[in-house]
Amino acid sequence: MSAAPADGGRRSRRGFAYQDAVTLLDCLDMHEGMWTQVSWEDLEDIVCRNGDAPAYRQVKTIEEAGKRHSVAKVCTPDIPKKPETSYLGKLFLGKPLPVGTRFTFIVNESPQADFHAFVVDRGQQRGPVPSQIRDDIIVRLKGVDLPEGRDIGWCVDRLVLQPQLL
């Protein structure tokens, strides 16, 4: 049995509603002093700033039961052999990367074990990531050319994952 054409639209709207809810939480955090500015749908789904330091925030949802984000999933390119088209490639590219830059991948589920090392609660600091997982991401994203003398390792060191189970 195939899904009705309108089902795709409903799933898409749920993703946007989820992103809107996360943006609202960021605005509330700004009200509490965590951010000095919150903007959305510009350089990234959400961009939060604390002074000049941007936090680029990508929001992704999975609606299928049993599916979860993993290192392989977020590094798989949309266009074969073009790692810059992967979720993380897109998150790291196309924006200024000043000192203090942070990257957040926000999901609506508990991630796979290999991606769990990046998990933090809102407003908390990330702990160390096993070098094997860090190196796996660097290898998977080989060929992504970043500006300002940055490399994928620099970005991965500033990446956190926030499961927002709203």
Side-chain angles (χ1 to χ4, degrees), residues 1-37:
M1 178 174 171
S2 65
D7 288 347
R10 274 193 287 274
R11 281 192 299 274
S12 176
R13 282 191 299 276
R14 276 192 300 242
F16 287 119
Y18 179 77
Q19 182 177 321
D20 290 345
V22 172
T23 304
L24 176 60
L25 289 174
D26 287 337
C27 289
L28 293 171
D29 286 343
M30 182 176 64
H31 180 72
E32 294 295 320
M34 184 173 176
W35 308 113
T36 55
Q37 180 183 8

Side-chain angles (χ1 to χ4, degrees), residues 25 43 48 54 57 84 111 114-115 117-118 153 155 163-164:
L25 289 174
L43 294 172
C48 298
R57 298 168 61 77
E84 65 273 12
D114 66 341
F115 207 22
F118 293 92
C155 294
Q164 298 287 325

Side-chain angles (χ1 to χ4, degrees), residues 46-60:
I46 307 166
V47 179
C48 298
R49 294 189 181 278
N50 192 350
D52 291 334
Y56 299 114
R57 298 168 61 77
Q58 177 63 231
V59 180
K60 292 292 178 203

Side-chain angles (χ1 to χ4, degrees), residues 92-146:
F92 298 155
L93 277 172
K95 49 196 69 106
L97 302 176
V99 173
T101 297
R102 297 286 179 253
F103 302 95
T104 308
F105 196 80
I106 301 164
V107 297
N108 68 331
E109 92 290 339
S110 180
Q112 295 283 357
D114 66 341
F115 207 22
H116 203 266
F118 293 92
V119 170
V120 298
D121 290 328
R122 287 182 78 78
Q124 300 299 309
Q125 297 292 320
R126 187 192 82 192
V129 170
S131 60
Q132 179 181 357
I133 294 171
R134 180 184 184 273
D135 294 345
D136 184 31
I137 293 172
I138 293 169
V139 168
R140 289 174 183 272
L141 297 181
K142 183 178 181 183
V144 175
D145 187 28
L146 296 167

